[in-house]
Amino acid sequence: MRIDAVQTIKDSLTMRDVLERYGYTARRRMPCPLHCGDGDNFEVKEKSYCCHSRCGSGDVISFVQKLFDLSFPDTLRKIDADFGLNIYGDHTFEELRQSHYKQMAIKAERERKKREKEQANKEYWAAFDEWKRLDDNRRIYRPKSPDEELHPLFVESLQKLTHQEYFVDCLDERRRQYA
């Protein structure tokens, strides 16, 4: 029945139908709704679309799938429910809507974890760079003899290096939680 569903959807709907159903004013060229583009990089054709920026091209089914971040079967069911095509009679719109909200919550959680991981990596590498600077100064400005006066950067490295090593280790542990 899935092949019939795909063909029924493709035969029944145009890109204009789909765009307007989901709140977009369909124009031949418009900002891309998939990545919130700001230029007219999204070209609307009768049964397909083409984003000339980053999303690529596809048909009405792939557009809905990308727009709502759904699996292929969920996309077919959503289109069926939203357009009243009655391809599937076993799921109500409310069930599909709940599935959509669940998918959106999963996507939001995934994005939150991605941002946290990026922040943890950024903090780790900043701390590592500072540790490297201190370690280099310890080696470069180490006194060559017992009578030589201590360089201020050598003293700073002795004062801060142990703390910075601990800080880098803590941030590395935090970073590994996201791996």
Side-chain angles (χ1 to χ4, degrees):
M1 177 157 201
R2 194 161 117 174
I3 294 172
D4 294 337
V6 170
Q7 197 58 49
T8 300
I9 290 169
K10 287 182 177 185
D11 290 344
S12 302
L13 302 175
T14 66
M15 275 306 298
R16 180 172 296 279
D17 295 332
V18 172
L19 285 165
E20 290 176 356
R21 172 65 175 94
Y22 297 119
Y24 299 97
T25 302
R27 298 186 329 252
R28 184 165 157 37
R29 305 259 321 171
M30 58 188 279
C32 181
L34 298 175
H35 74 270
C36 302
D38 53 4
D40 288 340
N41 54 359
F42 190 79
E43 184 177 355
V44 178
K45 299 176 184 172
E46 179 68 20
K47 297 283 187 177
S48 63
Y49 69 91
C50 182
C51 172
H52 297 285
S53 177
R54 71 170 103 149
C55 300
S57 60
D59 58 14
V60 293
I61 297 171
S62 65
F63 175 79
V64 174
Q65 186 174 16
K66 289 178 182 179
L67 184 65
F68 294 103
D69 193 29
L70 298 171
S71 67
F72 188 74
D74 285 344
T75 302
L76 297 179
R77 292 186 185 282
K78 176 161 184 58
I79 293 170
D80 179 39
D82 289 353
F83 290 92
L85 300 176
N86 204 22
I87 298 168
Y88 303 98
D90 55 346
H91 285 294
T92 66
F93 176 73
E94 185 59 33
E95 290 171 332
L96 191 57
R97 193 169 68 111
Q98 290 300 322
S99 172
H100 170 70
Y101 286 136
K102 183 178 178 182
Q103 290 290 327
M104 293 302 288
I106 290 169
K107 182 179 179 182
E109 179 67 14
R110 197 178 311 131
E111 288 296 319
R112 183 189 64 78
K113 285 183 179 181
K114 180 181 174 186
R115 284 190 308 274
E116 286 179 1
K117 180 180 180 179
E118 288 170 355
Q119 182 64 30
N121 279 329
K122 182 179 175 184
E123 290 173 6
Y124 170 81
W125 287 110
F128 180 84
D129 288 345
E130 176 62 9
W131 172 84
K132 178 77 169 113
R133 183 189 72 81
L134 291 168
D135 189 56
D136 287 346
N137 287 343
R138 181 183 55 82
R139 285 183 288 108
I140 292 168
Y141 298 109
R142 172 180 287 151
K144 309 296 185 254
S145 69
D147 298 338
E148 185 179 339
E149 190 172 322
L150 299 178
H151 192 283
L153 292 176
F154 176 74
V155 173
E156 177 195 28
S157 70
L158 292 177
Q159 291 172 341
K160 296 181 177 178
L161 195 58
T162 304
H163 172 74
Q164 194 64 30
E165 286 175 357
Y166 175 75
F167 190 53
V168 168
D169 287 344
C170 290
L171 290 173
D172 189 42
E173 185 63 33
R174 179 176 157 220
R175 189 174 68 128
R176 290 174 195 245
Q177 291 174 355
Y178 297 105

